[in-house]
Amino acid sequence: MNGTLFIIKLVIFGVLNLFILTLLLYGFSGRHRDIHLSYAESESNLLVIGENEHYPVVFLGTSRGRVLSRDGNHEMVERILGRKVANLSKGGGGGLMPMDVHLSFFLNQGNTANHVIYLVDPFIFYSSINNEHNDFFLRDEPFELFIFLKLIKERYPLDRLSSYLQMIKVTDWQKISRYAAPGLTEGTLKKIDEEKMEKARKHYLKKYDQNNFVAYGHVVDDINRLVKTHGATITYVMLPLFMPDFPGLPEVDAFLRKTADREAGVFYINCSSSMQDKKFYYDHMHFNKTGIEYFLKTYIRPIL
């Protein structure tokens, strides 16, 4: 009997402490919401995207999607597309799980969209460093209890939870969220370096885990469900790649094609073999201003 009473007290004590901790974290949550920065000033999503706004177009992706909003490019993107755009892409290889987090918060804040466009890199389906072990996608984001609970629910590792809690201490958000390498999209790739590309291919292969393909594929289902629940459509766009044998490309292409064929409101286009001219890039992966303009006019505007 004494043992049972002890366990009951222990459970009550634990629940009480959890309740107190949740109240404390709630008190820290959302303290940044009176700060409003532009895409030109910040890499953050939470500091740029507000509440209860309608965006006809929302982009998801890695740094290859984020360049659309760096260096003052965001205004050009909206002008070309003729629509207000939210870009939730994250540098540092923000994969499927990070994009699910950002899109969930974006919609939870009462924002709406007509069309979500996911700018796809094959590696996000294979590498944990782009997903649950990604340590970049919240490095410039203020603390929100909704996001913290989402990280717990999706079983992010403790070090990711801990690093996000550190954001509570940040005060100078304009400084911490500023893009560290401005001006890159003004440049142009001088030559395609085959040796460098082969080195990159081997780098990706070392980080790939075939088992992840199945696990992260389920995140696609979650994102699709979330988008459709909020009355929008989603198109996955395989981004152009200089590397024809990019690791995992055929498998991801087949998966997304099958998903789009199966689900209403989900679409897919493969641009991997397009835009092979170096004039469109500032390095071997990222568009420059010329590339952004061409990509939007040729492949994105027609699908809106």
Side-chain angles (χ1 to χ4, degrees):
M1 185 66 180
N2 288 338
T4 302
L5 184 61
F6 173 77
I7 292 174
I8 292 173
K9 288 182 177 179
L10 192 65
V11 170
I12 292 174
F13 180 76
V15 170
L16 183 61
N17 275 274
L18 182 61
F19 178 71
I20 293 171
L21 177 62
T22 302
L23 282 180
L24 285 172
L25 293 178
Y26 180 77
F28 288 117
S29 179
R31 293 188 302 168
H32 68 284
R33 291 182 192 167
D34 59 341
I35 302 173
H36 300 287
L37 302 178
S38 68
Y39 283 103
E41 296 174 295
S42 177
E43 288 281 286
S44 170
N45 285 333
L46 276 62
L47 298 172
V48 174
I49 303 297
E51 302 175 73
N52 304 312
E53 296 281 342
H54 179 68
Y55 295 86
V57 179
V58 175
F59 285 116
L60 306 178
T62 64
S63 60
R64 301 185 71 204
R66 194 69 190 184
V67 296
L68 272 62
S69 296
R70 290 173 178 163
D71 295 330
N73 294 326
H74 194 83
E75 290 75 12
M76 178 181 73
V77 169
E78 292 190 326
R79 185 173 64 253
I80 290 172
L81 298 182
R83 295 164 173 83
K84 188 177 180 181
V85 174
N87 191 349
L88 304 182
S89 304
K90 294 297 290 186
L96 289 159
M97 291 178 68
M99 285 301 95
D100 181 38
V101 170
H102 278 283
L103 182 62
S104 295
F105 182 76
F106 169 84
L107 295 170
N108 185 68
Q109 292 302 102
N111 296 303
T112 56
N114 294 340
H115 203 149
V116 176
I117 298 176
Y118 201 132
L119 305 173
V120 178
D121 292 289
F123 53 77
I124 63 173
F125 283 81
Y126 292 93
S127 176
S128 65
I129 201 68
N130 301 110
N131 289 284
E132 72 272 23
H133 290 288
N134 186 295
D135 64 351
F136 285 97
F137 81 102
L138 292 173
R139 189 176 287 184
D140 46 23
E141 302 290 0
F143 180 80
E144 287 280 357
L145 183 59
F146 175 91
I147 291 179
F148 186 67
L149 295 177
K150 174 82 171 171
L151 299 181
I152 294 174
K153 178 184 176 184
E154 302 301 330
R155 300 182 182 180
Y156 276 76
L158 287 176
D159 57 346
R160 295 285 73 78
L161 299 177
S162 175
S163 63
Y164 186 48
L165 283 173
Q166 300 303 310
M167 296 299 99
I168 290 174
K169 300 186 298 184
V170 176
T171 55
D172 190 347
W173 282 107
Q174 189 157 13
K175 180 179 179 181
I176 198 172
S177 68
R178 186 182 299 127
Y179 179 51
L184 287 178
T185 60
E186 303 286 350
T188 302
L189 179 65
K190 290 182 171 59
K191 69 171 186 175
I192 299 175
D193 190 329
E194 299 293 342
E195 185 178 336
K196 185 177 287 187
M197 291 196 2
E198 176 59 19
K199 186 177 179 180
R201 189 181 72 84
K202 291 178 179 177
H203 168 78
Y204 286 118
L205 280 173
K206 279 199 301 185
K207 295 185 177 297
Y208 274 24
D209 182 344
Q210 190 65 37
N211 293 327
N212 285 338
F213 185 77
V214 176
Y216 299 142
H218 291 304
V219 185
V220 171
D221 295 333
D222 294 339
I223 290 173
N224 293 345
R225 191 179 305 112
L226 182 64
V227 168
K228 291 192 287 185
T229 298
H230 286 81
T233 58
I234 183 167
T235 299
Y236 292 85
V237 180
M238 184 70 72
L239 287 167
L241 295 162
F242 278 138
M243 199 183 301
D245 58 344
F246 200 101
L249 175 57
E251 292 82 3
V252 175
D253 175 67
F255 173 78
L256 291 176
R257 197 175 300 279
K258 183 178 179 181
T259 301
D261 289 342
R262 183 184 68 239
E263 291 192 43
V266 178
F267 306 94
Y268 170 62
I269 58 174
N270 186 343
C271 301
S272 61
S273 60
S274 63
M275 296 180 65
Q276 296 297 294
D277 195 320
K278 59 184 175 58
K279 73 178 182 182
F280 295 129
Y281 303 84
Y282 71 78
D283 61 13
H284 288 82
M285 292 287 283
H286 299 86
F287 293 137
N288 57 18
K289 284 186 181 293
T290 301
I292 292 170
E293 183 175 3
Y294 182 86
F295 176 70
L296 292 172
K297 289 181 177 179
T298 308
Y299 301 106
I300 301 302
R301 195 163 61 186
I303 68 176
L304 296 178

